[in-house]
């Protein structure tokens, strides 16, 4: 699968807690196939609340990205109601979701998950490099 942002740059497959995700080493974006966000979130009720909060943003001026599966332009989705708005990309045909660098981590920060959520810790390791300094 090619990255929706970087021309002809193939993504690599990573495993996060037995869920296979596609990761672009160039822009650090992440593609999740349909249903994988729910699997990663793990906590059914919290995952449902988060996904129910998705709203299509028809006024976004952000560049529309193309689904790496069907190559159609994706919707911009606003997650939750907190400010600043978190925008992710969703395939109109439901193939999956695209997260720019750090956005998947942001979603885990915003979802009402347990402090010791395993994936949240893994994502923090992946994206939070401040700790290393
Ligand atoms: Zn990329
Ligand atoms: Zn698609």
């Amino acid at each position: 699968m090619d990255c929706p942002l970087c021309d002809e740059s193939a993504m690599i497959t990573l495993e996060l807690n037995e869920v296979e995700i596609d990761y672009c080493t160039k822009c650090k974006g992440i593609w999740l196939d349909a249903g994988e966000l729910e699997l990663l979130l793990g906590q059914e009720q919290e995952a449902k609340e988060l996904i129910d909060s998705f709203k299509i943003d028809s006024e976004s001026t952000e560049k529309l990205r193309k689904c790496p599966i069907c190559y159609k332009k994706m919707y911009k989705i606003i997650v939750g109601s907190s400010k600043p708005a978190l925008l992710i990309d969703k395939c109109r045909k439901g193939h999956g979701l695209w997260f720019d660098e750090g956005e998947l981590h942001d979603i885990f920060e915003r979802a009402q998950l347990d402090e010791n959520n395993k994936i949240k810790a893994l994502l923090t390791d992946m994206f939070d490099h401040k700790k290393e300094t």
Side-chain angles (χ1 to χ4, degrees):
M1 227 190 286
D2 288 339
C3 173
L5 264 73
C6 311
D7 278 340
E8 291 174 23
S9 169
M11 294 188 279
I12 58 163
T13 306
L14 289 181
E15 210 188 273
L16 264 187
N17 202 31
E18 296 176 12
V19 179
E20 283 192 352
I21 65 169
D22 295 284
Y23 175 71
C24 175
T25 52
K26 230 176 177 177
C27 66
K28 302 189 168 56
I30 290 174
W31 170 259
L32 294 182
D33 288 326
E36 288 183 338
L37 179 62
E38 291 88 326
L39 284 175
L40 286 176
L41 286 163
Q43 295 165 238
E44 206 179 319
Q45 186 57 34
E46 286 76 3
K48 194 180 171 296
E49 271 171 34
L50 183 77
I51 287 158
D52 284 349
S53 80
F54 285 7
K55 278 192 297 285
I56 294 172
D57 182 3
S58 47
E59 285 153 29
S60 171
T61 50
E62 255 188 48
K63 196 172 178 285
L64 295 175
R65 313 216 152 108
K66 292 193 180 107
C67 170
I69 295 175
C70 64
Y71 302 106
K72 295 263 186 333
K73 281 183 177 153
M74 295 190 275
Y75 284 131
K76 288 285 169 195
I77 298 287
I78 306 172
V79 180
S81 51
S82 42
K83 305 272 174 191
L86 176 59
L87 276 183
I88 61 170
D89 301 84
K90 181 175 189 274
C91 169
R92 292 170 194 233
K93 299 196 164 195
H95 289 127
L97 300 165
W98 172 257
F99 301 87
D100 288 333
E101 180 178 7
E103 286 178 349
L104 185 59
H105 182 251
D106 285 351
I107 286 224
F108 274 76
E109 288 286 323
R110 288 170 195 227
Q112 305 295 313
L113 300 172
D114 292 343
E115 272 308 302
N116 53 4
N117 183 283
K118 219 196 280 179
I119 306 287
K120 193 167 154 183
L122 287 171
L123 288 169
T124 303
D125 283 351
M126 261 173 93
F127 295 108
D128 189 321
H129 303 294
K130 279 169 244 153
K131 280 182 188 160
E132 288 164 21
T133 55

